[in-house]
Amino acid sequence: MTAPSAAAAATESELAPTPVVSVKPVVLEAPGRGEDLRVRISAPVTGSELPVVVLSHGYGSSLDGYGPLADFWAAHGFVVVQPTHLDSRTVGLAQDDPRTPRIWRHRVEDMKQVLDRLDLLEAAVPGLRGRLDRTRIAAAGHSFGGQTAGNLLGLRVLDPVSEEQVDLSDARIKAGVLLATAGRGGADLTPYAAEHFPFMNPDFENMTTPALVVAGDRDDSPLSVRGPEWLADPYFLSPGDKSLLTLFGAEHSLGGIAGYEVQETTDENPERVALLQRVTWAYLRHALGIEDDSWTAVRKALAEGAAPPGATPLGRIESK
């Protein structure tokens, strides 16, 4: 499947990338966090009423990660905001740091800080002032970042410190994209995951905000005893308007979304990344109420196989 056929309804001007301006780090004071919050903002140099995606990185990454997604979304009409969470290797938080047991909660608070400080972030990017559409904001995340984004959509976690389950959803978030995101906890976890990640106990019952869940059918996580199907739980166990993109042959990096030529990519596949770029782009435009034709087209293309004769399809989409 070629990228243009996956978004056949989009006009040529929409598919053509726009030059992007990116500013980093923008530093937000964060009392009680122990570290200022460092953020990267990427935006197209043209256009108005631009929707916003707040992108949460996976464990250990930073605002410098996920270029294949952040760059594509920004070059095609979105403002992409990337906070660096406390678990980033660039922060170097010690395992015995008192903040470590609640690292999951600090991540969600980072995302809310971004939403609270959009004025400051907008002003930090030359030429961006007055061009944001604050009624169209999405949360996206990969791996640990998927759980972080999911919290804003209504996913709940039993805090291992307070032993309370708190609603951290945010009405400003209108849609989500959850990439290679953990499924149920409890007996579904390996002993290592249960011991080292006690916050990995998501409850999807209240995750009602529309979302696209992306899972690789070869993402055999060392954190779960269930195999790749575990990563589809955010779709099957949550209510409301949800879609699931299953990428065939994809492992945890989904073909290479974590960065350009990064070491953690175990399944490098440019075609898979190109498909993911355009499917997520089309979904976000659909879910944020911009236009539906591109999403209809990618669903139709994948339903029809969307691959050259003799080639293996790259994935499938299902919705509920």
Side-chain angles (χ1 to χ4, degrees):
M1 176 179 178
T2 61
S5 65
T11 66
E12 288 300 317
S13 61
E14 287 171 334
L15 286 175
T18 299
V20 170
V21 58
S22 184
V23 175
K24 68 164 189 177
V26 179
V27 180
L28 301 179
E29 293 183 0
R33 187 176 185 266
E35 306 276 345
D36 289 336
L37 178 60
R38 296 178 177 269
V39 180
R40 177 178 185 150
I41 312 104
S42 302
V45 299
T46 60
S48 60
E49 298 183 348
L50 301 172
V52 178
V53 182
V54 186
L55 175 57
S56 178
H57 63 71
Y59 185 86
S61 189
S62 71
L63 57 76
D64 290 314
Y66 298 92
L69 289 180
D71 293 348
F72 184 90
W73 292 339
H76 293 83
F78 288 85
V79 174
V80 183
V81 186
Q82 297 174 260
T84 293
H85 301 302
L86 286 174
D87 56 85
S88 171
R89 290 183 291 271
T90 65
V91 175
L93 205 67
Q95 283 298 312
D96 61 355
D97 188 286
R99 292 168 289 180
T100 299
R102 304 197 74 193
I103 203 77
W104 74 271
R105 180 68 178 263
H106 284 291
R107 282 173 147 264
V108 182
E109 290 168 354
D110 291 345
M111 302 285 273
K112 289 179 176 284
Q113 279 268 30
V114 165
L115 298 175
D116 293 342
R117 309 289 287 281
L118 279 178
D119 283 345
L120 189 153
L121 296 172
E122 180 185 41
V125 181
L128 186 58
R129 190 184 296 275
R131 296 170 57 213
L132 299 186
D133 184 346
R134 296 162 193 260
T135 69
R136 291 187 167 113
I137 304 177
H142 174 242
S143 193
F144 197 2
Q147 178 171 299
T148 303
N151 283 124
L152 299 177
L153 309 179
L155 180 157
R156 297 185 184 181
V157 170
L158 182 66
D159 190 306
V161 176
S162 67
E163 298 185 346
E164 295 180 349
Q165 191 183 79
V166 182
D167 179 11
L168 297 175
S169 61
D170 197 303
R172 292 171 290 187
I173 299 296
K174 306 303 183 185
V177 175
L178 309 185
L179 305 151
T181 299
R184 289 183 302 192
D188 290 351
L189 299 181
T190 61
Y192 176 87
E195 178 183 355
H196 291 88
F197 306 112
F199 50 79
M200 194 173 286
N201 54 59
D203 180 348
F204 300 101
E205 184 178 349
N206 296 289
M207 197 177 82
T208 57
T209 303
L212 171 67
V213 176
V214 181
D217 70 355
R218 293 188 184 175
D219 187 358
D220 194 0
S221 173
L223 302 177
S224 174
V225 299
R226 283 178 48 207
E229 69 173 28
W230 183 60
L231 285 304
D233 280 359
Y235 171 75
F236 289 109
L237 300 182
S238 63
D241 184 1
K242 300 292 187 299
S243 292
L244 172 66
L245 169 63
T246 303
L247 292 174
F248 302 149
E251 299 177 11
H252 198 59
S253 63
L254 303 175
I257 63 168
Y260 301 108
E261 300 179 353
V262 297
Q263 186 175 1
E264 56 259 44
T265 297
T266 59
D267 61 336
E268 185 173 4
N269 188 311
E271 285 187 334
R272 186 177 299 137
V273 173
L275 172 66
L276 183 56
Q277 288 170 330
R278 283 160 174 80
V279 170
T280 54
W281 173 80
Y283 176 80
L284 287 168
R285 287 170 63 86
H286 155 74
L288 294 175
I290 299 169
E291 57 92 11
D292 294 326
D293 289 348
S294 298
W295 177 237
T296 299
V298 296
R299 294 177 66 187
K300 182 174 185 292
L302 286 176
E304 294 175 350
T312 302
L314 292 175
R316 69 171 179 269
I317 294 176
E318 53 196 288
S319 300
K320 63 177 184 178

